[in-house]
Amino acid sequence: QRRVHGGLSYTTFDYQKLVVRGGSQHRIFVHFEVVNSGKVSGTEVAQLYLSYPAEAGEPPKVLRRSSVVKNLPPGGRVTVSFALTQQDLSIWQPGAGWTPVRGMFAIMVGRSSRDIRATALHPNE
């Protein structure tokens, strides 16, 4: 059995079919597939980043969720799902607390902030 060490893997992974949907109770649902496109089983840490509208003054990519996909065989695929809350789309304002940011967000998934595999835009109104 192979292990992941320091972010390195003995196989390769593809990210496919990114779907972003608004839901009830001010939640956003994000689904995508992680596919082992390599020749050996492997483990992947799928990460979700948000890019806030420019006027929010946030960093370009903010990590909001991650999920470990363990022991995916060659050719295997798994659907990864995340739910984002209104607080995930908010910023902390001293004296005001969590304040929702309005505008267009980029929702990005990938192996790391430097290895984004898929992006979708979603408004927060």
Side-chain angles (χ1 to χ4, degrees), residues 17-39:
K17 300 181 182 178
L18 175 61
V19 175
V20 178
R21 291 193 182 110
S24 61
Q25 300 175 349
H26 304 287
R27 291 185 186 274
I28 296 172
F29 298 99
V30 179
H31 310 280
F32 57 95
E33 287 186 352
V34 175
V35 180
N36 182 341
S37 56
K39 295 182 180 183

Side-chain angles (χ1 to χ4, degrees), residues 30-117:
V30 179
H31 310 280
F32 57 95
E33 287 186 352
V34 175
V35 180
N36 182 341
S37 56
K39 295 182 180 183
V40 297
S41 293
T43 296
E44 175 76 337
V45 179
Q47 300 177 5
L48 182 147
Y49 294 85
L50 286 182
S51 178
Y52 286 76
E55 55 272 8
E58 292 296 293
K61 295 174 188 155
V62 179
L63 178 65
R64 284 293 183 228
R65 299 284 185 277
S66 65
S67 179
V68 177
V69 177
K70 291 185 178 182
N71 301 320
L72 195 61
R77 63 183 61 235
V78 65
T79 299
V80 177
S81 299
F82 296 119
L84 297 172
T85 65
Q86 195 60 41
Q87 186 170 332
D88 292 315
L89 306 176
S90 300
I91 56 175
W92 181 259
Q93 298 285 346
W98 289 106
T99 305
V101 175
R102 304 294 177 215
M104 191 65 67
F105 282 75
I107 297 172
M108 301 166 279
V109 295
R111 305 188 80 199
S112 73
S113 63
R114 293 183 180 178
D115 190 358
I116 298 299
R117 302 295 181 95

